[in-house]
Amino acid sequence: MTTITPLILISELPENSTKGIKLGERNLFAVNHQGKLYLYENRCPHKGIPLEWMPDTFLDVEKQFIQCATHGALFTIDEGLCIAGPCTGATLTSIEFVIIEGQICLASASETHR
Ligand code: FES
């Protein structure tokens, strides 16, 4: 059985914007960049803490990279690869998603026990 969990409407995520998403204990964020959508865990691989400067603010000023607010690590938007900063070579955790009726959703397979 597949469990679908809606996260946000794509219409709430304009081009070049980012949005933090709380899902229980999980902290995620979505990015809309050059017409593509990305979803990552909101956790810097350097210290394991949230990345954003301010609520819903995850990109550098030029909006070319995801930037950690704490020590300034820069991550590519498309792969989450750190290309500068104390965790160079590490990656953000990318989250798979599906789009259903204009919403970004998590789709997780759950096993049924009999
Ligand atoms: S915690 Fe993100 S660069 Fe140090």
Side-chain angles (χ1 to χ4, degrees):
M1 201 173 116
T2 303
T3 306
I4 302 293
T5 308
L7 300 177
I8 56 165
L9 286 163
I10 296 172
S11 59
E12 294 173 0
L13 192 65
E15 175 71 25
N16 280 330
S17 74
T18 56
K19 197 154 183 67
I21 300 163
K22 271 263 183 208
L23 189 67
E25 296 290 295
R26 292 181 81 182
N27 218 350
L28 311 178
F29 70 101
V31 185
N32 180 350
H33 183 68
Q34 295 183 341
K36 288 194 175 170
L37 301 171
Y38 305 91
L39 186 65
Y40 290 105
E41 293 269 0
N42 181 6
R43 192 177 60 234
C44 182
H46 180 216
K47 295 280 186 189
I49 57 177
L51 294 150
E52 70 268 47
W53 301 89
M54 292 185 293
D56 302 327
T57 306
F58 290 84
L59 300 183
D60 67 334
V61 283
E62 281 94 24
K63 298 188 186 294
Q64 293 302 308
F65 296 97
I66 296 162
Q67 186 166 32
C68 178
T70 304
H71 308 112
L74 294 173
F75 302 87
T76 58
I77 293 173
D78 59 344
E79 293 186 306
L81 174 66
C82 182
I83 49 102
C87 46
T88 300
T91 50
L92 300 174
T93 303
S94 173
I95 308 292
E96 288 194 26
F97 61 91
V98 292
I99 294 173
I100 299 174
E101 294 176 356
Q103 294 189 90
I104 297 175
C105 304
L106 292 183
S108 53
S110 51
E111 288 186 22
T112 47
H113 297 281
R114 297 176 197 197

